[in-house]
């Protein structure tokens, strides 16, 4: 049995014929929280899409394993079934499909028939409560007319209802107000403290260290031009806040990192 964890090894991927990921290595152990930061266009979302199995993202080499199981080559739904959850920077609206039905269908696909309808209902109301979300949310169409903060809360509700093994969150924190950021932090923490939640590993893609005030990251990685150029502890995020990316860029250019 291979070692547990979400392991990205030597991942190379391209989009529309251009190589974007140039050898990513990153391992998220069960229960740990990793933050991935980096300037615009460095390839963070490309990493998330490549892990999700999005058809526009072409993985040329490398691997992504989840508790030993290779994900590259699997259809996106199989990856979800293995226990991978991804939330995206710009989630799509699905007019005509209610939040309740959407989450029920997603749960059925990932964990078929493990909850009776009554248990599912009880669980979703409990999670709504934790997230300070109104029950009226359930009958609205998915992301249709949702504000940025509401979209984020819906993602957190999905995350809580699917209880994955590993979650990759591509944060839109630039568009979120402090309350929405706190809601993301609170829901991640609530999930980590819930039954079976403490083993969930997180990879949180973010621009600003702000979110890390609410979720304590064990590791912080900096991506530039399709590579992880520096890894460290939470202090790395504060350094970025203070100095921006220029200093690290200079270090990379000088071959110091
Ligand atoms: N579908 C696509 N077609 C063409 N180019 C793409 C596509 N997706 C990504 N790219 C390019 O890949 C590069 C990396 O983009 P990516 O979205 O991964 O960056 P990012 O680090 O997530 O940036 P941001 O911080 O702005 O979210 C960019 O130059 C982008 O234009
Ligand atoms: Mg992005």
């Amino acid at each position: 049995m291979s070692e547990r964890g979400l392991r990205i090894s030597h991942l190379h991927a391209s989009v529309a014929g251009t190589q974007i990921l140039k050898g990513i290595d990153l391992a998220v152990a069960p229960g740990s929280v990793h933050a991935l930061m980096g300037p615009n266009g460095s390839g963070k979302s490309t990493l998330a899409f490549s892990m999700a199995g999005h058809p526009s993202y072409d993985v040329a080499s490398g691997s992504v394993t989840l508790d030993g199981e290779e994900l590259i080559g699997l259809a996106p739904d199989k990856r979800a079934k293995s226990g991978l959850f991804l939330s995206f920077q710009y989630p799509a609206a699905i007019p005509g499909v209610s939040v309740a039905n959407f989450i029920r269908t997603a749960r059925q696909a990932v964990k078929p028939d493990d909850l009776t309808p009554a248990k599912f209902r009880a669980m979703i109301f409990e999670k709504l409560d934790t997230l300070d979300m109104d029950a009226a949310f359930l009958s609205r169409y998915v992301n249709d007319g949702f504000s940025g903060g509401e979209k984020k809360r819906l993602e957190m509700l999905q995350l809580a209802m699917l209880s994955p093994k590993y979650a990759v969150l591509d944060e839109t924190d630039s568009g979120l107000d402090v309350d929405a950021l706190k809601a993301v932090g609170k829901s991640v923490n609530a999930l980590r403290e819930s039954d079976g939640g403490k083993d969930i590993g997180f990879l949180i893609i973010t621009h600003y260290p702000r979110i890390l005030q609410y979720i304590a990251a064990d590791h912080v990685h900096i991506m530039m031009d399709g590579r992880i150029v520096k890894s460290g502890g939470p202090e790395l995020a504060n350094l970025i806040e203070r100095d921006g990316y220029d200093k690290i860029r200079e270090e990379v250019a000088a071959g110091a990192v």
Side-chain angles (χ1 to χ4, degrees):
M1 178 80 189
S2 311
E3 233 178 308
R4 289 183 65 203
L6 179 63
R7 296 171 171 275
I8 305 164
S9 311
H10 313 307
L11 195 68
H12 292 74
S14 55
V15 188
T18 306
Q19 192 187 11
I20 307 292
L21 301 184
K22 300 170 182 170
I24 301 289
D25 290 287
L26 206 161
V28 178
S32 67
V33 177
H34 291 242
L36 179 64
M37 303 179 73
N40 292 134
S42 51
K44 304 180 299 297
S45 295
T46 301
L47 176 63
F49 281 121
S50 302
M51 291 169 84
H54 190 292
S56 304
Y57 295 76
D58 187 23
V59 173
S61 61
S63 79
V64 177
T65 57
L66 191 153
D67 292 346
E69 183 187 1
E70 179 61 60
L71 298 183
I72 300 298
L74 292 185
D77 62 317
K78 295 278 187 321
R79 300 182 194 210
K81 216 166 172 172
S82 300
L84 183 67
F85 176 90
L86 290 113
S87 84
F88 293 104
Q89 217 171 348
Y90 305 106
I94 319 179
V97 176
S98 73
V99 165
N101 278 337
F102 179 69
I103 294 181
R104 177 90 183 133
T105 306
R107 172 96 196 183
Q108 257 313 98
V110 172
K111 297 180 175 165
D113 298 322
D114 73 327
L115 291 178
T116 61
K119 285 213 166 105
F120 174 83
R121 237 180 107 76
M123 184 176 174
I124 205 165
F125 277 100
E126 181 207 313
K127 303 295 184 192
L128 280 170
D129 198 42
T130 315
L131 290 171
D132 287 329
M133 286 169 75
D134 197 293
F137 235 105
L138 295 179
S139 49
R140 288 181 64 182
Y141 293 150
V142 172
N143 287 324
D144 197 20
F146 281 28
S147 75
E150 287 170 343
K151 285 182 184 170
K152 210 74 234 174
R153 281 189 171 80
L154 172 56
E155 281 180 348
M156 292 303 119
L157 181 65
Q158 281 169 245
L159 171 63
M161 289 301 295
L162 295 180
S163 335
K165 290 181 183 149
Y166 300 93
V168 179
L169 311 178
D170 198 353
E171 287 301 319
T172 44
D173 47 15
S174 53
L176 296 183
D177 64 19
V178 177
D179 287 348
L181 262 189
K182 274 191 196 157
V184 171
K186 194 178 159 197
S187 48
V188 167
N189 290 328
L191 191 60
R192 295 185 82 205
E193 284 155 20
S194 68
D195 280 350
K198 70 178 190 325
D199 283 343
I200 302 176
F202 285 90
L203 177 60
I204 300 176
I205 301 173
T206 185
H207 275 123
Y208 300 105
R210 278 183 305 177
I211 184 87
L212 305 180
Q213 289 171 11
Y214 305 108
I215 308 167
D218 307 299
H219 306 276
V220 174
H221 311 275
I222 310 296
M223 189 189 276
M224 278 184 187
D225 192 23
R227 293 186 176 89
I228 289 175
V229 296
K230 199 167 178 138
S231 297
E235 75 286 348
L236 201 49
N238 298 329
L239 221 64
I240 301 295
E241 175 90 320
R242 203 189 65 196
D243 301 337
Y245 290 109
D246 283 352
K247 201 153 169 243
I248 295 180
R249 218 175 254 125
E250 283 163 20
E251 286 174 17
V252 172
V257 291

